[in-house]
Amino acid sequence: MGRPPTNLHADVAEVLLDEERIRAKVLELGERISADYAGRELTLVSVLKGSLPFMADLMRAIHLPLTIDLMEVSSYGGAATETSGLVRIIKDLSASIDGRDALLVEDIIDTGLTLNYLLRYLRGKNPASLRICTLLDKPARRLVEIPVDYVGFTIPDQFVVGYGLDYGEHYRNLRYVGVLRPEVYST
Ligand code: PRP
């Protein structure tokens, strides 16, 4: 974990998605998911820690009975801004998803390596269905093709923080998604 930033907002070069745009998109995704899963038994599975704000807002935008579960994974090695592809489960599902309609909730898909691992892992738990909802998609950096069912925003290849996304574990509490100043992570 790096030195704490002294001014969160000052380290952001540009606001990519402000609070209002995020709120509107989450409501839209909630409506789509509510319509698609009407009458079914939905379980939202989110992946800590980045997806925490998105999960909290999305679950309240879905007006169906649902259950939630939380996983935490970490990738081995690699720099702070990269994913290595080797994934370790720190916290597993708390309850079985056997026979349930599972929707994996992510904050961002970058290389796709984390999700690729998680999809294989969760398919092995025998859910009735398994779909993916991500707030952000950064296709420029994709290394494995992943079928993503619900995408909030497709973003350019810039290092973003806020609304759950971190650099050195900080900036997650920003209400918006912003582009981190390069000098913050290159020094
Ligand atoms: C982020 C994000 C995804 C993953 C995406 O998590 O939440 O899980 O990286 O990257 P990928 O598509 O290249 O695999 P991170 O490992 O930074 O952990 P965090 O959620 O605790 O910030």
Side-chain angles (χ1 to χ4, degrees):
M1 205 179 300
R3 202 147 36 105
T6 47
N7 184 336
L8 296 176
H9 301 291
D11 288 347
V12 173
E14 177 201 347
V15 174
L16 203 59
L17 304 166
D18 66 20
E19 210 179 334
E20 199 44 56
R21 274 189 80 190
I22 295 171
R23 184 180 301 125
K25 185 59 76 176
V26 171
L27 290 177
E28 183 192 315
L29 287 169
E31 289 300 329
R32 278 181 56 200
I33 292 166
S34 300
D36 291 352
Y37 286 89
R40 289 156 68 185
E41 283 281 307
L42 182 60
T43 298
L44 300 180
V45 177
S46 92
V47 190
L48 297 169
K49 305 192 253 313
S51 61
L52 193 58
F54 180 44
M55 175 71 157
D57 289 342
L58 183 68
M59 64 188 268
R60 288 175 292 176
I62 300 172
H63 35 84
L64 296 174
L66 58 80
T67 61
I68 65 165
D69 210 334
L70 306 168
M71 289 186 73
E72 185 169 5
V73 299
S74 90
S75 41
Y76 292 101
T81 53
E82 301 283 333
T83 315
S84 67
L86 296 169
V87 176
R88 179 166 58 107
I89 294 178
I90 296 172
K91 188 210 165 293
D92 206 340
L93 294 171
S94 302
S96 168
I97 55 168
D98 192 339
R100 296 191 62 91
D101 289 306
L103 180 62
L104 192 51
V105 177
E106 263 287 22
D107 51 340
I108 188 166
I109 305 175
D110 199 344
T111 63
L113 293 170
T114 307
L115 210 51
N116 191 47
Y117 173 88
L118 276 172
L119 280 179
R120 273 187 285 134
Y121 180 78
L122 292 173
R123 278 193 197 113
K125 303 283 177 190
N126 203 30
S129 68
L130 180 59
R131 287 186 181 176
I132 298 164
C133 177
T134 187
L135 179 70
L136 307 176
D137 184 15
K138 204 192 263 185
R141 285 177 40 91
R142 196 75 94 253
L143 294 177
V144 272
E145 266 329 298
I146 307 259
V148 188
D149 305 278
Y150 304 97
V151 177
F153 301 97
T154 300
I155 61 167
D157 188 11
Q158 290 172 304
F159 194 86
V160 288
V161 293
Y163 196 67
L165 291 132
D166 76 305
Y167 171 65
E169 294 298 329
H170 291 286
Y171 306 97
R172 296 191 196 275
N173 53 324
L174 292 174
R175 290 170 174 265
Y176 53 83
V177 172
V179 180
L180 196 62
R181 289 188 185 282
E183 55 267 34
V184 176
Y185 54 85
S186 59
T187 52

